Amino acid sequence: LIRDNRGGRGAGIYAEKANIKINDNNIRNNSVVQSGGGIYAEKGSPLIRRNTIERNYGSNAAGGIYLSASESRIEDNIISY
């Protein structure tokens, strides 16, 4: 369970230049002043699978998932506000 975090970017999970697996998590109630309240991934190839991503907030963009210069795979997730 990843919840109730605050930050600039990627309050739940922040990954830069990483080929990580984000599997089987509940990511909720995270908030950022920029982008990617739940997940922020830049310049990598993350696999995002079987997560529940809900009630995350990004004041600039992307409350749930923010991807930049990334070749990501997103499979079988529940994503909601």
Side-chain angles (χ1 to χ4, degrees), residues 13-55:
I13 296 173
Y14 180 94
E16 187 172 341
K17 298 179 184 175
N19 299 328
I20 62 172
K21 294 179 182 176
I22 302 169
N23 297 330
D24 303 307
N25 296 287
N26 188 332
I27 303 167
R28 66 177 173 183
N29 296 331
N30 299 291
S31 179
V32 292
V33 295
Q34 292 182 17
S35 305
I39 299 171
Y40 180 97
E42 182 176 352
K43 299 178 185 170
S45 299
L47 170 60
I48 302 169
R49 179 186 292 157
R50 293 185 310 266
N51 300 284
T52 298
I53 303 167
E54 61 185 354
R55 289 184 233 127

